[in-house]
Amino acid sequence: MLDVDGVPTLEDIGKNMPRRERLEQGFVAVHECFQDIPCNPCVEACPVGAVSMKTLTSTPVIDFDKCTGCGNCVASCPGLAIFLLSLKANHAQITIPYEMPDVPQKGDKVQGLDRYGQFVCDADVIRVVRLPSLDKSSKTTLITLEIPASELMTVRSFRRR
Amino acid sequence: MIETDVLVIGGGPAGMNAALASAQSGAHVLLVDKFQHLGGQLVKQTHKFFGWAEKGAGTRGFNLAKRLSEDVMNNDNVQILLGYEVVGAYRDGTYLAASWSDHITIKAKKLIVCTGAAERMILFENNDMPGVMGAGAVQTLMNEYGVLPAERFLIVGSGNVGVILAYQLLQAGATVDAIVDVLPKLGGAYWVHAAKVQRLGVPLLLGRTVLGVYGNSRVESAITAKVDEKMQPIPGTEKRHDVDAVALAVGLMPLTDIFQMMGVKTVYVPELGGFVPWHDECGRTTNKDIFVAGDAGGIEEATTASIGGTIAGLAAANDLGYQDNMQAVKDNLEALSIFRTSSLSKKVLEGIERMRGELNA
């Protein structure tokens, strides 16, 4: 619960989700930012103007039809609170910002974890990229996992096996 | 003896911005820091900072420190004195700075105090045992000196300092057994900071306090227990944590000794972390030549400290007649007030209001 431990519930997330058809078209950014932190790098990072914010302390609104799934906002978000999601016929893919030293490689098998770090399912690392954050002074590693379609809403982390 | 227009004590975000603002207005600035490098707490931060994208948000703390300190070092109007602590202050504007082997007398027309804050301690059995440390100390050892002081940590306190420390410990390869907080809910950390450590598997144990640490000459375990509504431990709820360090992130208090030495009015404001010097919106204290900026004037965070430093630096140079900075002061005050429209600033704003009301009390 957000106001207890800072972790959003599925109900909270549901309010920000794109339609199923958009998820099936390929990667789209979904944020889990629910607090009025004075912060706006995601808006500036977006090359197509898909992220907007009324004021500095508003939470972002993502235009899922404009979003190209490029991941620039994921790499720029100070709260690591934006993910890329995509839904295929029988599996889902999620891109997670990762700042830990033990970076997995493409092809590795990892354990998909939920928002409390609990094991959910096995996952395959299908992409590892390093994108610059907004100011270009540092990069953030983005790890893309392939998971069962049923876990699209639950897996938000992973650990090495 | 060094003579200067503006003496800035403390080279963190507030002090560096104060020094830059005064120097860019034409004033001569002496910036003193007791450490061997500039940056203050910024150098210990690995996360990308919140705030305005156009003002450096999204930049990691240590990179912000690097960029700011380069700006300060490249400004010919700023003289930097590292490894010196200002230990003496006299009411005619004379100061004494001492290093381990030496001391220097300083004469300054204006003083801007950006000394930051000290960590609070809490009571529990054996809290003087090696392995019990402040969160800031762990960060200094780990992120500045490259020494991981222990392998398995228990963190006490779930404000931003506690959860950021947990995250940094994981980055450094340590394990974090849990973050405990005596409160029934998150103790002030940004939700996103708390969420990112929990999804990496760090449990957040709320409504729980540390009873003691135990071991043979150093911490080998800690015992925590749930608390009742009166914050008293509930027997039978004890939990043993096999850790070799307990990091305390239970709050900060402003470092205000110099204001008391100088006869500046200080006010006790719990919302700002304890005693703070009374100050106006430019950071001017009850002594018109002494300013405060950053956590020394009330515990807040790095962006507001930076803006506050800029405002104090502009105001000090304005007073000295270097240039009319009043529009720039106004612009920065506007930026500060936009930043503080967040509900996260509610407590600080209440504290500032309480402090302002205390002038004639």
Side-chain angles (χ1 to χ4, degrees):
Chain A
M1 287 255 294
L2 284 166
D3 65 349
V4 176
D5 55 23
V7 179
T9 60
L10 287 180
E11 196 186 332
D12 297 317
I13 311 291
K15 294 172 194 160
N16 283 338
M17 282 297 288
R19 288 166 293 112
R20 186 182 177 88
E21 303 83 72
R22 175 63 189 85
L23 287 165
E24 286 170 351
Q25 285 165 12
F27 282 115
V28 59
V30 176
H31 77 75
E32 302 194 1
C33 171
F34 297 93
Q35 199 172 29
D36 60 343
I37 298 172
C39 184
N40 66 1
C42 56
V43 177
E44 300 296 321
C46 182
V48 296
V51 189
S52 60
M53 217 176 256
K54 279 198 190 102
T55 68
L56 182 71
T57 51
S58 309
T59 53
V61 176
I62 299 173
D63 182 332
F64 301 122
D65 294 321
K66 274 193 192 168
C67 175
T68 62
C70 72
N72 283 336
C73 59
V74 181
S76 289
C77 173
L80 305 190
I82 309 180
F83 304 88
L84 301 178
L85 304 181
S86 128
L87 200 52
K88 306 281 174 193
N90 43 23
H91 61 261
Q93 295 174 345
I94 176 165
T95 298
I96 296 170
Y98 191 69
E99 295 181 330
M100 293 295 144
D102 194 14
V103 177
Q105 293 184 343
K106 184 179 173 180
D108 285 357
K109 304 260 183 215
V110 296
Q111 295 186 326
L113 309 178
D114 69 11
R115 292 179 182 79
Y116 290 99
Q118 300 295 308
F119 175 76
V120 174
C121 60
D122 291 327
D124 295 311
V125 175
I126 59 167
R127 188 176 69 176
V128 178
V129 292
R130 281 171 63 71
L131 286 187
S133 66
L134 188 58
D135 79 316
K136 314 281 187 250
S137 67
S138 61
K139 293 186 173 177
T140 301
T141 303
L142 308 189
I143 308 283
T144 303
L145 304 180
E146 192 161 276
I147 51 177
S150 57
E151 306 304 345
L152 177 74
M153 296 296 284
T154 48
V155 170
R156 288 297 177 276
S157 179
F158 65 89
R159 67 171 165 244
R160 308 292 297 270
R161 288 200 292 198
Chain B
M1 175 148 100
I2 301 176
E3 286 195 46
T4 186
D5 291 323
V6 180
L7 168 63
V8 178
I9 306 176
M16 288 192 288
N17 278 291
L20 274 176
S22 281
Q24 284 162 355
S25 308
H28 180 267
V29 179
L30 178 66
L31 175 58
V32 182
D33 195 287
K34 67 176 172 179
F35 293 101
Q36 295 297 337
H37 55 81
L38 295 174
Q41 302 302 308
L42 278 182
V43 299
K44 308 178 193 173
Q45 307 309 329
T46 61
H47 64 280
K48 288 167 276 195
F49 269 56
F50 298 83
W52 283 275
E54 62 273 27
K55 293 188 185 175
T59 307
R60 296 188 190 280
F62 56 87
N63 281 329
L64 280 174
K66 186 165 171 272
R67 191 180 303 167
L68 257 175
S69 57
E70 281 168 3
D71 287 349
V72 172
M73 288 186 283
N74 290 334
N75 191 306
D76 291 341
N77 281 347
V78 185
Q79 187 180 348
I80 301 166
L81 194 57
L82 296 173
Y84 282 81
E85 191 164 6
V86 175
V87 293
Y90 304 89
R91 293 185 190 186
D92 66 345
T94 306
Y95 303 90
L96 185 73
S99 70
W100 287 100
S101 57
D102 187 17
H103 66 269
I104 295 173
T105 313
I106 299 160
K107 187 96 183 156
K109 293 174 189 148
K110 298 281 175 188
L111 171 67
I112 305 177
V113 180
C114 307
T115 43
E119 300 191 274
R120 292 183 180 278
M121 184 72 193
I122 51 169
L123 283 177
F124 54 83
E125 193 174 0
N126 299 326
N127 71 356
D128 60 345
M129 188 180 269
V132 177
M133 21 193 151
V138 178
Q139 288 190 332
T140 302
L141 287 165
M142 175 169 70
N143 300 347
E144 290 194 53
Y145 305 150
V147 176
L148 193 57
E151 288 171 7
R152 292 162 296 139
F153 284 77
L154 177 72
I155 295 176
V156 183
S158 65
N160 274 329
V161 176
V163 297
I164 288 171
L165 176 67
Y167 192 75
Q168 293 181 353
L169 283 166
L170 298 178
Q171 287 181 312
T175 59
V176 179
D177 185 80
I179 303 171
V180 298
D181 200 304
V182 73
L183 296 172
K185 55 187 194 176
L186 193 63
Y190 288 177
W191 292 345
V192 288
H193 275 321
K196 77 184 187 188
V197 295
Q198 289 176 84
R199 67 175 178 255
L200 289 169
V202 176
L204 174 63
L205 305 178
L206 298 167
R208 192 168 269 279
T209 192
V210 57
L211 298 181
V213 294
Y214 307 95
N216 202 349
S217 81
R218 64 156 300 154
V219 174
E220 290 168 18
S221 69
I223 306 285
T224 64
K226 282 191 172 170
V227 295
D228 60 21
E229 57 277 14
K230 289 178 185 152
M231 297 286 165
Q232 295 306 306
I234 303 170
T237 63
E238 292 86 358
K239 179 177 163 65
R240 178 190 153 112
H241 305 262
D242 289 317
V243 293
D244 51 6
V246 173
L248 301 177
V250 291
L252 300 167
M253 53 189 166
L255 280 170
T256 57
D257 314 58
I258 196 162
F259 300 109
Q260 280 137 9
M261 286 165 75
M262 293 294 276
V264 163
K265 182 182 175 73
T266 57
V267 186
Y268 187 75
V269 186
E271 296 91 340
L272 298 179
F275 278 100
V276 293
W278 185 94
H279 56 279
D280 69 10
E281 59 181 9
C282 291
R284 193 190 312 270
T285 66
T286 52
N287 179 329
K288 67 174 175 55
D289 296 322
I290 302 179
F291 294 79
V292 65
D295 278 359
I299 306 303
E300 206 170 351
E301 52 79 67
T303 304
T304 54
S306 298
I307 302 171
T310 299
I311 293 170
L314 288 167
N318 190 83
D319 281 7
L320 293 169
Y322 278 98
Q323 66 181 50
D324 183 359
N325 279 334
M326 290 328 286
Q327 186 56 45
V329 166
K330 224 177 125 193
D331 294 344
N332 279 280
L333 285 171
E334 172 68 15
L336 195 55
S337 80
I338 292 172
F339 205 85
R340 284 176 175 158
T341 54
S342 165
S343 63
L344 297 156
S345 292
K346 191 167 169 274
K347 198 174 94 174
V348 164
L349 288 173
E350 284 168 5
I352 292 171
E353 194 179 339
R354 183 200 290 262
M355 173 195 71
R356 295 271 155 77
E358 293 275 335
L359 184 56
N360 302 312

